[in-house]
Amino acid sequence: YEIYLNGLAGQLPPYSTDVGRLEQAVREKLDPGPYWYVAGSAGTGATDRANREAFDRWRIVPRMLCDASGRDLRTELFGRTYPAPVALAPVGVQSIVHPDGELATARAAAALGVPAILSTASSHTLEEVAEAAGPEGPRWFQLYWPHDDEVTLSLLDRAAGNGYDTLVVTLDTWTLAWRPNDLDQAYLPFLRGTGLAIPLSDPVFRSRLARPVEEDLNAAIMQWAPMFNGRSHTWDRLPLLRDNWDGPIVLKGIQHVDDALRAADAGMDGIVVSNHGGRQIDGAVAALDTLPGIAAAVGDRLTVLFDSGIRTGADIFKALSLGARAVLLGRPYVWGLAAGGEDGVRHVVRSLLAELDLTLGLAGHRSPAGLDPSVLSTR
Ligand code: FNR
């Protein structure tokens, strides 16, 4: 109603309420390098398209004459109650689309009470982002796991010391994929020094450098690359994280039931069923198609989160119905950030939650707890 009432006073919403139209508007104002870095995906984009097609195959079956008033989106994750079943996915290098970058995202998330997951590839330090979020702003930290254990422990210490209470370990991006959009633009934000604020400010990483960052940024970047990129850790290394992180640990990028079972056996608290928004493997399985099997296998042992392809509130409804406890929003909020900084991020998240709330009610449900696969049908 807020939007319609403003309309009566002749005031249109400052940004589109449709994520596709918002992206188009942003595309006109961003340079091609940053635009394609965000919009692009791996190879021919087949995985990204598959993510979207998978949502389209599921259809919501509404029920009538239900009292769906007094709806409640509150969701418990790892012992804490959040106002809605969404978090903001870790997205690195956010200053390429807006100078406030992750600071704006943290402020928007704090205002709405939803977790913002800070990427290791942030363009601001984790201390700066914690300050922007304020003492109450829920914040999780996403680890790109270095191959130097002392640097890893230093990042974990800094995160815990700055109030990040949940650790999200991204497994699917141990090396950067074949991304023709970025290759054709010869555009990699990291090589321009963007997205390295966290390692470059890290005292242990800095102690590894022959010359201070301020004197030789390029040498620091070249030293960072092999430490974070190029080879994967293995399952037997997880105790390092488990032994050195007191809060919940969530493994991001799980696509196979057996990997989900291994995560549970390894004492993890949650997983994110995700294919990184189709940015890593071209021609991979749609993330949504892997969700029901994984949720059925480990839903009673792990908190199952989901991302990759969510563009609407109805998409959130579908992912929750197929077994996700909550979803991570990816590109949509980045378009909001590009359009209007903190205000733009808030607009996108509020719009998606409003649509989720309406969809839930119109389908005959009061809360996400009432959702399961039986509320959907396949085309
Ligand atoms: C990402 N993603 C990501 N994930 C992560 O764990 N650490 C990171 O630094 C980044 N960086 C990043 C940058 C950009 C520009 C995008 C678009 C994505 C992946 C992200 O967390 C999430 O998995 C996807 O964005 C979900 O897919 P959709 O919703 O964007 O399709």
Side-chain angles (χ1 to χ4, degrees):
Y1 287 117
E2 183 184 319
I3 291 178
Y4 291 127
L5 288 175
N6 286 338
L8 281 179
Q11 205 186 325
L12 290 179
Y15 325 96
S16 177
T17 53
D18 174 82
V19 168
R21 282 203 287 275
L22 180 65
E23 176 182 345
Q24 280 312 313
V26 164
R27 184 175 180 173
E28 283 162 24
K29 78 175 210 188
L30 285 181
D31 288 339
Y35 170 76
W36 282 111
Y37 183 75
V38 177
S41 40
T44 62
T47 306
D48 195 27
R49 285 193 299 280
N51 285 340
R52 293 297 311 138
E53 286 160 12
F55 276 99
D56 202 36
R57 279 197 302 277
W58 288 101
R59 297 297 166 117
I60 296 165
V61 185
R63 303 299 303 271
M64 296 300 127
L65 294 176
C66 308
D67 179 8
S69 56
R71 286 185 299 283
D72 186 353
L73 293 181
R74 277 177 303 173
T75 300
E76 193 195 310
L77 299 174
F78 311 114
R80 183 165 172 179
T81 302
Y82 296 99
V86 302
L88 303 190
V91 166
V93 297
Q94 292 183 20
S95 66
I96 65 173
V97 300
H98 191 283
D100 296 345
E102 294 83 357
L103 304 176
T105 297
R107 289 186 192 113
L112 298 170
V114 301
I117 310 175
L118 181 67
S119 165
T120 299
S122 167
S123 26
H124 296 273
T125 67
L126 50 79
E127 292 80 4
E128 290 163 346
V129 177
E131 202 183 317
E136 302 302 323
R139 46 189 179 271
W140 302 0
F141 179 64
Q142 177 262 320
L143 184 70
Y144 278 136
W145 190 352
H147 284 282
D148 178 323
D149 290 351
E150 286 177 23
V151 173
T152 301
L153 298 185
S154 176
L155 295 180
L156 298 189
D157 271 359
R158 287 169 69 196
N162 283 282
Y164 297 81
D165 57 25
T166 300
L167 183 68
V168 177
V169 186
T170 298
L171 306 178
D172 58 16
T173 309
W174 51 268
T175 199
L176 206 58
W178 186 253
R179 297 181 183 173
N181 292 306
D182 297 334
L183 293 164
D184 287 354
Q185 306 279 340
Y187 181 82
L188 191 58
F190 306 106
L191 295 182
R192 293 159 194 250
T194 314
L196 302 183
I198 291 178
L200 293 183
S201 62
D202 189 79
V204 176
F205 177 73
R206 289 172 81 102
S207 75
R208 301 282 191 262
L209 300 172
R211 294 175 61 203
V213 175
E214 292 72 21
E215 280 176 25
D216 197 343
L217 178 62
N218 287 348
I221 291 172
M222 293 330 278
Q223 193 152 338
W224 161 80
M227 196 178 280
F228 284 82
N229 191 59
R231 79 203 133 100
S232 176
H233 286 283
T234 45
W235 289 96
D236 58 321
R237 300 275 297 140
L238 282 177
L240 178 83
L241 303 181
R242 187 66 287 173
D243 294 346
N244 288 284
W245 182 263
D246 289 336
I249 304 183
V250 180
L251 300 185
K252 177 171 182 280
I254 298 293
Q255 288 287 269
H256 195 292
V257 169
D258 291 350
D259 285 347
L261 290 166
R262 279 189 95 157
D265 292 343
M268 301 293 112
D269 302 277
I271 52 174
V272 186
V273 173
S274 164
N275 60 26
H276 214 100
R279 297 165 71 81
Q280 285 299 91
I281 297 177
D282 194 22
V285 61
L288 192 71
D289 286 342
T290 70
L291 177 60
I294 291 175
V298 298
D300 55 345
R301 297 171 72 195
L302 294 173
T303 297
V304 177
L305 309 175
F306 173 87
D307 76 29
S308 296
I310 289 186
R311 298 293 175 269
T312 68
D315 292 341
I316 301 174
F317 180 104
K318 292 176 186 178
L320 298 177
S321 301
L322 292 174
R325 175 82 66 85
V327 303
L328 314 188
L329 306 175
R331 291 180 186 88
Y333 86 81
V334 184
W335 302 134
L337 175 67
E342 175 189 348
D343 192 48
V345 176
R346 282 172 61 160
H347 165 83
V348 168
V349 178
R350 289 185 69 212
S351 298
L352 291 170
L353 291 180
E355 191 198 343
L356 169 64
D357 177 62
L358 290 171
T359 306
L360 201 64
L362 288 169
H365 306 278
R366 271 211 185 115
S367 81
L371 302 180
D372 63 35
S374 73
V375 307
L376 304 178
S377 89
T378 43
R379 268 214 293 164

